[in-house]
Amino acid sequence: MSVPRWVGKDVPRVDGLEKVTGCARYTADLKFPRMLHAHVVRSPHAHARVLGVRTEKAERVPGVRAVATGREFPFHTGIYLKDQTIFAIDRVRYAGDPVAAVAAETPEAAREAAALVEIDYEPLPANFDAVAGIEPDAPLVHPDLGAYECVPWIRPRGGTNICNHLKVRKGDYRKALAKCASVFEHTFVVPQVHHVALEPHVAVARADLAGKVEVHTSAQSPFTVRHLLAACFSMPHGDISVHVPAVGGGFGGKAGIGIEPIAVALAMKARGRWVRLLIDRPEEFYGTVVRQGLAATLTTGIDRNGKVQAQKMHYLWDCGAYGGYGVNIVRAAGYTCGGAYEFPNVEGDSIGVYTNRPVGSAYRGFGMQEIHWALEQQMDIVARAIGMDPAGFRLLNCLGPGKSTVTGEVLGDHAGRVDECIRRVAETIGMREDRPRSSNRGKGIACAVKAPAMPNDAASSVLLKYAEDGTLEVLISGIDIGQGLKTVAAQFAAEAMNMPIEKVRVRGNPDTDSFPYDWQTVASRQSWATGNAIFRAAEKIRGRLFATASEALGVPASELALEDEDVVHAESGRSIPITRLAMGYQFPDGHTIGGPVAAAGSFIPEGLIHLDPETSQSPKPVAKWTFGAQAVDVTVDPETGEYTVDRVAACYDVGRVIHPAMIAGQLYGGVVQGLGTGMMEELVVDPASGRVANASLVDYKIPTTEDLPREIRMDFIETPQADGPLGARGIGEHTMIPTPAAVANALFDACGIRILDLPITAEKVRAALQRKEKGG
């Protein structure tokens, strides 16, 4: 359709008819009959052998109905690497590792019983640093690593703490480096941070007397939860039903599988009873997953014209105690290690390292903010060292059509234009404007790129079906976690069927028994994947309608069209309302043709080729790339080190803007979240005990309205994605990726200081200014 009817417009948001928001409230209000309350017994030690677990005292507490331990459930789980058991069996690997759990009639009884579980520990040496973790004498977190089950493209190294290592080799790095006019090397550090979703983790499970399991959970991936539960407990998929109500935020922290196996284990010991496990806010910081830490060392060699000829990236990822999901972040960071730039000669190593810190996992951006923190500062350092404009240096070296990524993929005309994004934000923020050097104001720029980090067979499917009154129902299993998926799905369906959007009803909040399959709501893939599935299902629906209408009207199906709520034949001026076709068409004499009109549609990325195991070269390793850039304007108080981000300009090549207001919301939210991880957020682990020292919203700071920029300006490029629905590509995660690096670059522009470790606190800025004054 040449002129979109619904796409590109701010149609009313579709939020469904849910009476409650968030699984925590959902499970509290529904009052599942005879529901039990669970409490987890967690290790106080960061690393220790478990010598014995005694539960007799806990079992005698009035109201206790089940106590579960690792010896009873010695099952491994993990989406890519099965390195974690439901409960620790022979050793604990971080302070907070589950060792047992209790289910009781009241939360108070569960807590009382949990405190009575007796555990004998033998403390072991602990390590909280990924750099130290790769040393030969580092304490092994997983002595049995070599025996764990994992997918073929994850490569753990038994006998070490390395849970995955992806190598990138392109051209001849060492030979090119020897010929470079200038070489620069720096190390950048990123700490672990927490997701801090509004709604905490919660799951309710029941195992009936026949052994079938039903789970209600706040999760981003109902079918993945079912799949991993089936693998963990050796059950048929058909005997597990997973339901996901409205989810109150995820940011990757509810991807894959989390607390569900604990709830299921307890439910199996209390057959027929619902068991509810709710993680409270302090426990969220150490009892659920966090974003991984990173130490990145970059070496850049340039020629006399400022063109990068040799680039080395060495990433050491702090995966925490378990790497079941985090190993794929290591992989994604490796094949994206060149960021938005064309580097002809590359040596890249992305290495995941176990430590005795909280468990690292998916977080919005999936490793990209972390590597861009390093790469975008490195590009700025090089540009300023050779006296080149930072935006101009990026334009000289950035990717674009006909250029090749670090994995050797040659980008086509539909890949997106980071160069246009750079130009837009540089102009908007006024990068080249002159200002007094004593103003303590500065401007910085940073680029961003991300591909969906997913298996090659990650699929989405939908079901479209008509109701008797011509309402089109759209069943999706992607989770609307605030990004507006239901609204986008309604837009796509209305566009595909050329019908009023008011007649579309999107059914979300899926259960795995009756909804169509979807891999996961991660990787900024839903608008793209679910959108494609909707258009494919709509094509089948159109075919069904046209076939029936063709026979009813006695005209060729190829001459029919959809207009609002009718199938029309323009040449004759005749039409049939959808309501007369949706359940089958009945002729005047009573005989009927057709039948209820419904169709399923599915989408799976095509043409993806695995990375070479030694070089990571591939003609098409990922489905798509989304490029962007941000520029910021900051003001610094040299006396205190406090600074404000006054303005942010952001531009992304999104392929096609589907809903202007919602994409603006994604951008605003991403920028603020990026400012949070850039300016204040850090999970602090006590080096003596390994316990999280700031496990509360009093001590773990996130942005408030006081921290917002005065102005956020946004812009979008629309280079259509070749396989995108109406040309659209993902944008959900990308909006927070470059923000911290842009702020760091602006601080250097303002006062000549360079902060290499996140977060950029006022204390660090003041200390750097003092060192500068002393000539340090």
Side-chain angles (χ1 to χ4, degrees), residues 149-465:
E149 179 185 343
C150 68
V151 297
W153 34 271
I154 297 299
R155 297 177 178 86
R157 193 181 301 170
T160 75
N161 285 318
I162 296 175
C163 53
N164 191 24
H165 181 182
L166 186 128
K167 297 188 291 185
V168 180
R169 302 293 186 266
K170 177 186 178 185
D172 191 331
Y173 164 77
R174 296 185 185 280
K175 183 178 179 180
L177 188 70
K179 297 180 179 179
C180 287
S182 302
V183 177
F184 305 83
E185 182 172 294
H186 298 89
T187 296
F188 306 85
V189 178
V190 180
Q192 288 183 326
V193 299
H194 198 268
H195 304 77
V196 200
L198 181 64
E199 176 201 28
H201 288 69
V202 60
V204 180
R206 183 184 68 167
D208 66 20
L209 299 182
K212 294 187 177 181
V213 170
E214 183 176 348
V215 178
H216 295 249
T217 180
S218 177
Q220 295 175 225
S221 319
F223 284 89
T224 294
V225 169
R226 182 184 70 170
H227 179 67
L228 295 177
L229 286 174
C232 179
F233 291 96
S234 299
M235 294 179 63
H237 287 65
D239 287 349
I240 301 173
S241 177
V242 177
H243 303 246
V244 174
V247 175
F251 307 115
K254 296 174 182 175
I257 196 167
I259 65 173
E260 295 87 1
I262 297 176
V264 170
L266 286 168
M268 286 182 168
K269 294 201 69 178
R271 297 275 177 167
R273 300 292 299 271
W274 291 102
V275 177
R276 179 179 186 246
L277 175 58
L278 171 67
I279 306 300
D280 64 23
R281 182 60 66 184
E283 195 179 8
E284 279 278 315
F285 287 96
Y286 55 85
T288 65
V289 295
V290 302
R291 190 175 82 175
Q292 298 181 152
L294 173 67
T297 300
L298 274 58
T299 306
T300 304
I302 61 171
D303 63 22
R304 298 187 185 282
N305 298 316
K307 183 75 172 165
V308 177
Q309 296 297 337
Q311 182 67 43
K312 180 178 181 179
M313 284 77 63
H314 189 262
Y315 299 150
L316 288 178
W317 291 93
D318 185 341
C319 293
Y322 300 100
Y325 209 130
V327 289
N328 197 33
I329 298 169
V330 176
R331 178 176 178 269
Y335 65 65
T336 319
C337 67
Y341 302 100
E342 183 182 42
F343 298 140
N345 301 284
V346 175
E347 183 177 306
D349 290 277
S350 188
I351 303 169
V353 184
Y354 287 124
T355 67
N356 296 111
R357 295 176 66 96
V359 181
S361 188
Y363 183 103
R364 186 179 190 177
F366 210 70
M368 295 303 104
Q369 187 190 79
E370 298 93 293
I371 68 172
H372 282 75
W373 163 252
L375 182 58
E376 287 301 317
Q377 282 211 76
Q378 180 82 345
M379 295 297 99
D380 223 65
I381 291 169
V382 174
R384 293 180 182 277
I386 64 175
M388 197 169 182
D389 167 59
F393 181 78
R394 287 170 168 81
L395 289 170
L396 176 65
N397 288 285
C398 70
L399 285 165
K403 297 182 179 181
S404 66
T405 67
V406 294
T407 61
E409 178 187 3
V410 178
L411 301 182
D413 293 337
H414 296 278
R417 299 295 298 270
V418 68
D419 56 335
E420 291 300 321
C421 295
I422 293 169
R423 292 187 180 95
R424 296 274 184 99
V425 299
E427 180 180 355
T428 300
I429 213 72
M431 289 290 293
R432 292 186 173 90
E433 292 177 359
D434 292 330
R435 61 193 178 282
R437 293 304 304 174
S438 60
S439 65
N440 294 312
R441 293 189 62 193
K443 298 173 182 180
I445 189 170
C447 298
V449 65
K450 186 186 182 296
M454 61 188 188
N456 290 4
D457 59 354
S460 291
S461 57
V462 302
L463 178 65
L464 271 58
K465 59 190 182 78

Side-chain angles (χ1 to χ4, degrees), residues 409-544:
E409 178 187 3
V410 178
L411 301 182
D413 293 337
H414 296 278
R417 299 295 298 270
V418 68
D419 56 335
E420 291 300 321
C421 295
I422 293 169
R423 292 187 180 95
R424 296 274 184 99
V425 299
E427 180 180 355
T428 300
I429 213 72
M431 289 290 293
R432 292 186 173 90
E433 292 177 359
D434 292 330
R435 61 193 178 282
R437 293 304 304 174
S438 60
S439 65
N440 294 312
R441 293 189 62 193
K443 298 173 182 180
I445 189 170
C447 298
V449 65
K450 186 186 182 296
M454 61 188 188
N456 290 4
D457 59 354
S460 291
S461 57
V462 302
L463 178 65
L464 271 58
K465 59 190 182 78
Y466 275 109
E468 293 87 338
D469 67 349
T471 296
L472 181 65
E473 297 178 280
V474 182
L475 276 67
I476 62 173
S477 292
I479 307 301
D480 196 328
I481 49 177
Q483 81 279 41
L485 175 59
K486 290 181 181 178
T487 306
V488 169
Q491 288 178 277
F492 283 147
E495 199 71 56
M497 299 304 296
N498 195 26
M499 64 184 294
I501 198 168
E502 295 80 11
K503 294 286 287 185
V504 177
R505 296 292 184 271
V506 178
R507 311 301 186 196
N509 308 129
D511 68 83
T512 55
D513 280 353
S514 56
F515 274 65
Y517 175 84
D518 193 284
W519 174 62
Q520 290 199 85
T521 302
V522 296
S524 302
R525 60 181 292 275
Q526 279 299 331
S527 291
W528 169 71
T530 294
N532 274 320
I534 287 171
F535 276 99
R536 292 183 179 187
E539 187 63 29
K540 296 178 184 178
I541 292 276
R542 293 166 69 95
R544 289 283 306 277

